[in-house]
Amino acid sequence: MLLIVASILVGGALALLPVGKGSSDLEVVQNDFGKMKTAITAYYLKYGHLPCPASRNAAPNSATFGIATDCTSATAPTGTVEFGSGVNIIRIGVIPVRSLNLSDTYMFDPWNSRFTYAVIKSLAQTSTLFTNYSTSATQVITIQDKSGTIINPNNSASTPNYVDYVILSHGRDANGAYGYKGALTSTCKTSLLQGKNCDDDNVFVQAAHSYANNSSFYDDYITWVKNTDLLNYAGLSAKPGACTSAFLPTNLTSLALWLDANDLTTITKDGSNNVSTWVDKSGNSYSYVNGGATKPVYSATGFNSKPTMQLTGTYGFKGGAISTTASNLSIFFAAQQTNTAGGNYLLDVNGVATRMTLNLNTNGVTYWYKQGAYSSTLSSSYTANTYSSWIFSNGATTPARLYINGAQVATDTTFLPQDLLSNLAIGQKYTGPATTDFSGNVSEVIIYTRALTDSERQAVEQYLKLKWGL
């Protein structure tokens, strides 16, 4: 956490004090900014999204004081305002200190005014994954200098580097600030340079302090965080939407396959989103190709409003052998079955006596796994958006287990793995097309060539849960 604080204090510059003014106020505000950024990063790691602003009118002894409002609401709740439209809305309020587990004192700057907090609304919704802005060229929040030049211009669709949120102290004159009791201390004087910081739109100004009695007056303190900074603070990839947890599948040993529909760099598709290739991210660089004439279709919003591969029951993806010697396996899917007719092969291996198949279906083929002469049936089909986990151990004392959304739903002691990952297919029978091919959505596939421990399994499940909003 100390490392996060140190790095955070570097980002989102603070306005410099003029020569001759004491630095105590700056030091207090800078310390507060650092604490708030650290708390926001911790919140992001826990919930997978940024906190929504709190009401700037809530009294200190009220139930809503310092509590984040709901950014999934269509309109701004009392004490907050919104600016913009569509996915480019920002919500403006004050720092939600209690939702961030901060002392109430962090609500107030050295002049007893509440810190303003503005955030891109969609990034403060449940498990957003920053999907709306993963390739955005839009500067939703703009930071300008005193001449109106944009300070944060380094953003494009290919290199997203936009401002996620802004924190603001309205300075000694409290221009446009809300005071201790939640009332407006001073009506926003838009005639001043710092008036852009209190006029409730998406433009904010950072400038050196000037106390001239004219339009150049400025005594605000401002800081902000970009998407790349936030992910770096959290120890994640700088690519927006990479994940919503500090954990990554590569953190665990024996990772054999990782297919991720949220990473467009791994997907080859045509102008109609028909997918021909889905490339593995495990470091093994396996390439999974479309298994036949009917191609899977990429959808940016098909799985819980998030990216997925849509399969229609004829053809999926198939590739060569991952491993021909694995005696223990851990297999994870983020998927949804949309048609339970037939067998719905979620995974299928071809060409060996111990051929293995997996599915989530009780219709047609009723087993959740079949391997050689061994199989185990399901008691129900699973058609909701799910994360599922198959853990296979070689031996009757550690049975094969199926978990759906973290809960164990099936177990079997007859599993004897051998050559199970030769000629592997995802979402189809390897020799398809067939009515047994998977109908539904597949968003992520993770395979380890060992049986993970319960704590390791839960870490992967938590990663999938947060990432896909399940």
Side-chain angles (χ1 to χ4, degrees):
M1 193 61 76
L2 291 177
L3 292 176
I4 293 175
V5 173
S7 60
I8 282 175
L9 293 178
V10 176
L14 288 163
L16 299 178
L17 290 171
V19 175
K21 179 171 174 61
S23 62
S24 59
D25 294 340
L26 172 62
E27 290 170 353
V28 170
V29 173
Q30 187 178 39
N31 178 71
D32 289 348
F33 280 167
K35 294 286 188 180
M36 287 185 278
K37 285 181 175 180
T38 299
I40 289 172
T41 302
Y43 184 101
Y44 168 74
L45 283 172
K46 182 176 182 179
Y47 296 107
H49 60 91
L50 295 172
C52 203
S55 169
R56 47 194 185 185
N57 300 133
N61 60 350
S62 69
T64 57
F65 177 84
I67 300 298
T69 54
D70 181 6
C71 270
T72 65
S73 62
T75 58
T78 300
T80 65
V81 294
E82 290 183 352
F83 180 87
S85 61
V87 297
N88 295 329
I89 295 175
I90 68 168
R91 181 172 290 182
I92 305 169
V94 293
I95 285 290
V97 287
R98 293 183 180 175
S99 295
L100 294 173
N101 292 317
L102 289 172
S103 166
D104 288 356
T105 59
Y106 285 98
M107 177 69 80
F108 309 104
D109 67 13
W111 304 278
N112 225 21
S113 296
R114 302 185 181 201
F115 283 103
T116 289
Y117 169 60
V119 65
I120 297 176
K121 182 180 177 181
S122 68
L123 304 187
Q125 297 173 352
T126 303
S127 300
T128 66
L129 298 171
F130 291 58
T131 302
N132 287 336
Y133 294 92
S134 61
T135 56
S136 177
T138 303
Q139 292 284 8
V140 182
I141 296 176
T142 299
I143 312 296
Q144 297 180 351
D145 64 17
K146 65 179 182 180
S147 66
T149 300
I150 298 176
I151 296 175
N152 60 310
N154 301 319
N155 181 72
S156 66
S158 60
T159 310
N161 194 23
Y162 49 85
V163 173
D164 293 337
Y165 67 84
V166 170
I167 307 173
L168 175 75
S169 163
H170 295 270
R172 186 181 298 277
D173 75 337
N175 184 33
Y178 286 75
Y180 178 81
K181 293 183 178 181
L184 186 63
T185 300
S186 173
T187 302
C188 181
K189 299 179 182 66
T190 57
S191 58
L192 302 180
L193 175 61
Q194 63 190 25
K196 289 185 177 296
N197 291 338
C198 56
D199 59 357
D200 291 341
D201 65 10
N202 66 321
V203 177
F204 297 86
V205 170
Q206 177 203 274
H209 281 192
S210 171
Y211 305 106
N213 188 22
N214 56 37
S215 60
S216 296
F217 184 92
Y218 188 95
D219 74 344
D220 287 358
Y221 298 95
I222 184 172
T223 189
W224 64 90
V225 166
K226 294 183 178 182
N227 64 305
T228 49
D229 295 331
L230 176 69
L231 296 173
N232 286 333
Y233 301 159
L236 312 178
S237 163
K239 179 180 175 59
C243 64
T244 59
S245 167
F247 174 88
L248 289 173
T250 49
N251 290 3
L252 301 179
T253 61
S254 304
L255 178 64
L257 181 70
W258 179 16
L259 300 174
D260 180 7
N262 198 54
D263 189 348
L264 283 173
T265 66
T266 67
I267 299 166
T268 302
K269 57 187 179 69
D270 62 22
S272 299
N273 287 323
N274 297 306
V275 178
S276 57
T277 308
W278 196 4
V279 178
D280 163 52
K281 296 171 59 177
S282 71
N284 297 317
S285 299
Y286 297 112
S287 183
Y288 276 72
V289 299
N290 161 51
T294 305
K295 295 182 178 180
V297 176
Y298 170 83
S299 170
T301 58
F303 180 78
N304 202 21
S305 300
K306 296 170 177 62
T308 196
M309 300 294 183
Q310 295 180 327
L311 307 177
T312 62
T314 54
Y315 295 120
F317 296 93
K318 63 182 181 180
I322 292 178
S323 171
T324 58
T325 59
S327 60
N328 300 279
L329 297 169
S330 299
I331 302 173
F332 300 84
F333 280 89
Q336 177 197 26
Q337 182 177 242
T338 56
N339 182 356
T340 60
N344 274 268
Y345 282 46
L346 192 53
L347 178 146
D348 183 55
V349 178
N350 187 58
V352 292
T354 53
R355 173 187 176 192
M356 180 184 194
T357 57
L358 304 178
N359 69 70
L360 295 171
N361 190 20
T362 58
N363 296 319
V365 179
T366 60
Y367 49 77
W368 59 276
Y369 93 87
K370 182 176 181 180
Q371 177 260 321
Y374 306 106
S375 65
S376 182
T377 59
L378 279 173
S379 58
S380 61
S381 295
Y382 296 91
T383 58
N385 296 314
T386 61
Y387 56 92
S388 54
S389 317
W390 282 266
I391 307 296
F392 295 103
S393 303
N394 191 2
T397 58
T398 51
R401 305 176 300 282
L402 171 61
Y403 300 83
I404 302 295
N405 294 344
Q408 184 172 301
V409 298
T411 185
D412 187 80
T413 59
T414 61
F415 177 75
L416 297 171
Q418 178 185 349
D419 298 343
L420 294 180
L421 299 182
S422 300
N423 299 319
L424 184 64
I426 304 295
Q428 71 168 92
K429 185 176 181 181
Y430 193 90
T431 56
T435 57
T436 53
D437 289 349
F438 187 78
S439 295
N441 302 308
V442 176
S443 290
E444 189 153 3
V445 184
I446 302 168
I447 299 178
Y448 296 90
T449 52
R450 66 183 178 91
L452 300 188
T453 65
D454 279 344
S455 61
E456 289 173 329
R457 170 183 59 80
Q458 290 166 356
V460 179
E461 291 173 340
Q462 180 72 355
Y463 158 83
L464 293 172
K465 176 182 178 181
L466 290 174
K467 180 172 181 177
W468 299 105
L470 302 173

